[in-house]
Amino acid sequence: MSIYELCIKRPVFATVISLLIAAFGVLSYAGLPLRELPDIDPPVVSVQTSYPGASSSVVETRVTQPLEDALAGIEGIDTISSSSRDGSSSINITFRLSRDIEAAANDVRNAVSRALNNLPDEVDPPQVQKAESDSSPIMFLNMTSTSMSRMQLTDYAERYIVDRLSTIDGIAQAGAFGETRALRIWLDRVALA
């Protein structure tokens, strides 16, 4: 007996089978994750270094290049990109998708700690952070005070608020931006001679 004969002789059976197949299809479709742009974030670790008062060329040769040389041997690196500005260096290391972000961050920390002896003494310790490749600031908080100056507010935010915000679950990175004191001295070579 073929399926056609069975469905003609037993119409209730055929209706029940059709309803079961349709219900299974609806349940499967509702549970199907479908995204036009899937959320595939490669593991990214960034190294931020501050060298106050140094020009971008000095930062490039004395900070960025030694750190890049130390980071180049880490397993699973896909790309390394860096930028050197006046007083700061930024290195972003993108790892392959199969690489665990925690292990990658630990490897970067170890490589940075080995390279510290090659950096100038005036350089602030490099900050190693795990970051998502598409992370961008989504919230800015402004502070005002009638009793503190802008510099005091920036210092207060760096000391007390940034650390507390960083420990909140779901916060990738917190930072303070404000007024900081900088001093540049241009020497007259003739007068020095």
Side-chain angles (χ1 to χ4, degrees):
M1 181 181 305
S2 69
I3 188 85
Y4 307 114
E5 293 173 2
L6 180 65
C7 291
I8 292 172
K9 290 182 180 179
R10 300 184 184 264
V12 175
F13 175 73
T15 305
V16 169
I17 293 297
S18 298
L19 289 175
L20 284 174
I21 291 173
F24 179 73
V26 168
L27 290 175
S28 297
Y29 182 76
L32 182 67
L34 179 65
R35 296 187 63 173
E36 186 175 328
L37 300 170
D39 187 21
I40 300 175
D41 288 329
V44 177
V45 178
S46 66
V47 179
Q48 308 290 331
T49 310
S50 178
Y51 189 5
S55 67
S56 59
S57 60
V58 171
V59 171
E60 173 70 26
T61 57
R62 306 269 324 266
V63 178
T64 306
Q65 286 180 352
L67 286 174
E68 280 183 343
D69 293 342
L71 296 169
I74 296 176
E75 175 190 354
I77 291 179
D78 193 20
T79 59
I80 296 179
S81 62
S82 64
S83 65
S84 299
R85 296 183 183 87
D86 289 345
S88 68
S89 167
S90 176
I91 302 172
N92 290 325
I93 306 115
T94 305
F95 291 89
R96 294 189 190 101
L97 290 174
S98 59
R99 188 76 155 103
D100 179 40
I101 185 75
E102 297 296 331
N106 288 335
D107 289 347
V108 169
R109 283 187 195 97
N110 291 339
V112 167
S113 66
R114 286 192 301 270
L116 285 178
N117 294 333
N118 298 333
L119 301 179
D121 294 335
E122 300 82 17
V123 172
D124 294 339
Q127 302 294 317
V128 177
Q129 299 171 339
K130 297 175 287 188
E132 295 181 14
S133 60
D134 61 350
S135 65
S136 61
I138 57 172
M139 181 186 293
F140 289 96
L141 302 174
N142 295 322
M143 295 175 59
T144 60
S145 174
T146 57
S147 62
M148 287 191 220
S149 68
R150 285 183 176 175
M151 192 175 306
Q152 290 171 328
L153 274 174
T154 303
D155 182 57
Y156 180 81
E158 288 174 351
R159 289 179 188 234
Y160 302 108
I161 296 176
V162 170
D163 291 337
R164 290 183 181 174
L165 288 176
S166 298
T167 59
I168 297 174
D169 190 30
I171 302 288
Q173 178 181 0
F177 307 99
E179 191 172 312
T180 57
R181 184 172 293 175
L183 178 65
R184 285 193 175 185
I185 300 173
W186 285 270
L187 300 174
D188 184 1
R189 293 177 187 244
V190 176
L192 286 174

